[in-house]
Amino acid sequence: MATDLDKTFNESVEKLSMAADTAALETWYRETLGKKGSITLLARQIGKLPAEDRPQFGQQLNQVKKNLQEAFERRETAVKTAELEAKLAGDAIDVTMPGRTRLRGGLHIITKTMRDIYRIFGDMGFQIYRSPDVETDKYNFELLNFPPHHPARDMQDSFYTTTPDVILRTHTSGGQIRAMHEYYPEPVRVIVPGMCYRNEQITARSEIQFTQVEGLVVGHHITFADLKGTLTEFAHRMYGPQRQTRFRASYFPFTEPSAEMDVSCFLCDGDGCQVCKYTGWLEILGCGMVHPNVLRNGGYDPQIYFGFAFGIGPERIAMLKYGIDDIRQFWSNDLRFLRQF
Ligand SMILES: [Zn+2]
């Protein structure tokens, strides 16, 4: 019987080496180590042996079973690995594997606000005019009627470059002169959007960089009524048609007369609240009729041409519209803030 055991063991090992897939392995197991397998059948015959031979045969049998079991497990691992490799090579895309999520970006709140402003003025026939971020003193101040040593320059302390008289623009108003030089003698109807830079103490209300949308209209029959109509339409489109507007006299070197425009507070509807400082009004922009000196500097004869100009701060517009109380949030790159819009 020991010879039978050896023979069965050798045959089984050979058969196992030929089992090339999971189904063949299952068959092999059933036929060898299963309830009716060849080894199991041999084990049942142990009773036919003389009593003194039984322990030795039992030991041999257990060793054979153990060896076969281990050989089976090794073969099984090898076959399964080969099967998985073949499968992966066969289908390049495994639809059952979990996907990689893609990070989603979004538009910055100021970009969105700028686009709202473009859309409103675009509908009224304005075109977008780009002027450089780095500007000469001449375009940023002089031609806009800020002579050297004019006190209004104090409010716009700039960043200077190493080239004399070349600065980072403190407003996009310089684009007024550039647009006039480019379009003379045609009428002008442009908005000039972009980043501005001022040497300021950074606080909740002031930043060293911020955006501005300057507007300029020049033509033959432009009056203050055109200014009021255009800017009131802007306020209604931006904050809702029920908003009231008012113009207060102000001063800017490049407009005469100059005004600031307020809208009735949309939080308290004019009753007075913390945001409007209990006045019922919110200041949203500065404006005025283009100063004759500025028209002249742009190449237009102020006896024949008239114009109006305005300057809008998108940060201020967004702060009022969305109730943001600190201007530093816009450029602090805090995703918790940015994701809210
Ligand atoms: Zn209010």
Side-chain angles (χ1 to χ4, degrees):
M1 270 191 59
T3 332
D4 287 348
L5 189 58
D6 279 345
K7 198 175 155 231
T8 310
F9 175 75
N10 290 333
E11 280 172 8
S12 298
V13 168
E14 203 188 326
K15 273 192 208 162
L16 182 62
S17 71
M18 291 188 298
D21 54 37
T22 312
L25 280 171
E26 280 169 10
T27 307
W28 180 91
Y29 197 89
R30 202 170 50 244
E31 289 174 354
T32 314
L33 295 167
K35 270 187 204 163
K36 292 177 181 172
S38 47
I39 299 294
T40 315
L41 293 178
L42 271 175
R44 285 197 190 138
Q45 292 174 29
I46 198 166
K48 293 179 186 167
L49 285 173
E52 65 271 23
D53 291 344
R54 285 181 202 169
Q56 204 203 345
F57 182 74
Q59 267 180 11
Q60 281 178 344
L61 187 75
N62 282 338
Q63 191 57 49
V64 164
K65 271 165 96 170
K66 189 169 171 263
N67 290 349
L68 285 176
Q69 183 67 38
E70 282 169 7
F72 173 78
E73 279 161 17
R74 279 195 301 274
R75 184 71 189 154
E76 190 183 38
T77 305
V79 166
K80 285 198 168 159
T81 304
E83 278 180 350
L84 182 64
E85 272 168 12
K87 188 170 179 284
L88 287 177
D91 13 305
I93 298 169
D94 181 355
V95 292
T96 65
M97 281 178 77
R100 262 172 256 147
T101 46
R102 207 176 270 239
L103 280 179
R104 260 214 205 155
L107 289 178
H108 191 281
I109 176 63
I110 291 302
T111 305
K112 277 188 196 166
T113 306
M114 300 275 269
R115 289 186 181 187
D116 288 343
I117 296 170
Y118 300 165
R119 199 172 305 119
I120 294 168
F121 284 103
D123 288 350
M124 291 193 275
F126 283 76
Q127 68 186 95
I128 293 176
Y129 186 85
R130 298 280 176 190
S131 90
D133 286 45
V134 179
E135 193 54 283
T136 58
D137 185 272
K138 194 174 152 193
Y139 277 92
N140 194 76
F141 291 122
E142 257 184 80
L143 296 177
L144 289 167
N145 209 30
F146 288 76
H149 312 299
H150 190 288
R153 286 193 179 209
D154 288 350
M155 293 171 66
Q156 299 191 15
D157 188 12
S158 184
F159 291 104
Y160 290 80
T161 66
T162 49
T163 310
D165 289 334
V166 174
I167 60 172
L168 296 186
R169 65 179 173 194
T170 59
H171 49 191
T172 61
S173 312
Q176 285 192 24
I177 305 290
R178 291 185 178 277
M180 284 191 277
H181 285 173
E182 188 167 333
Y183 296 126
Y184 177 82
E186 299 298 322
V188 179
R189 201 189 290 175
V190 295
I191 52 173
V192 190
M195 193 68 82
C196 306
Y197 313 86
R198 290 187 194 177
N199 186 9
E200 298 253 8
Q201 189 80 34
I202 298 174
T203 67
R205 302 187 70 82
S206 59
E207 254 287 7
I208 57 167
Q209 61 169 47
F210 53 92
T211 57
Q212 191 187 352
V213 178
E214 182 81 2
L216 175 70
V217 174
V218 175
H220 284 291
H221 304 289
I222 306 295
T223 69
F224 204 93
D226 296 310
L227 177 156
K228 285 184 80 172
T230 303
L231 296 179
T232 301
E233 172 68 12
F234 165 71
H236 286 169
R237 289 275 306 272
M238 199 73 194
Y239 293 112
Q242 71 283 17
R243 296 272 62 86
Q244 295 192 318
T245 57
R246 72 173 186 185
F247 290 81
R248 284 179 292 109
S250 184
Y251 172 79
F252 303 107
F254 42 105
T255 47
E256 179 62 36
S258 303
E260 271 165 303
M261 188 173 91
D262 298 342
V263 291
S264 55
C265 179
F266 40 81
L267 292 167
C268 62
D269 224 2
D271 292 342
C273 69
Q274 222 174 355
V275 173
C276 62
K277 299 199 184 85
Y278 303 97
T279 61
W281 295 94
L282 297 166
E283 179 197 324
I284 62 164
L285 56 86
C287 56
M289 299 305 290
V290 181
H291 195 288
N293 287 348
V294 175
L295 281 173
R296 208 174 283 120
N297 291 340
Y300 289 78
D301 181 349
Q303 301 291 336
I304 303 170
Y305 292 92
F306 299 90
F308 69 83
F310 53 89
I312 299 171
E315 282 83 359
R316 177 155 181 80
I317 299 283
M319 285 169 89
L320 293 176
K321 191 165 181 171
Y322 300 103
I324 299 160
D325 58 6
D326 192 329
I327 197 171
R328 292 170 292 192
Q329 299 272 21
F330 292 118
W331 316 115
S332 63
N333 276 342
D334 188 337
L335 285 177
R336 291 169 303 176
F337 169 75
L338 296 171
R339 281 193 178 125
Q340 295 175 73
F341 307 103

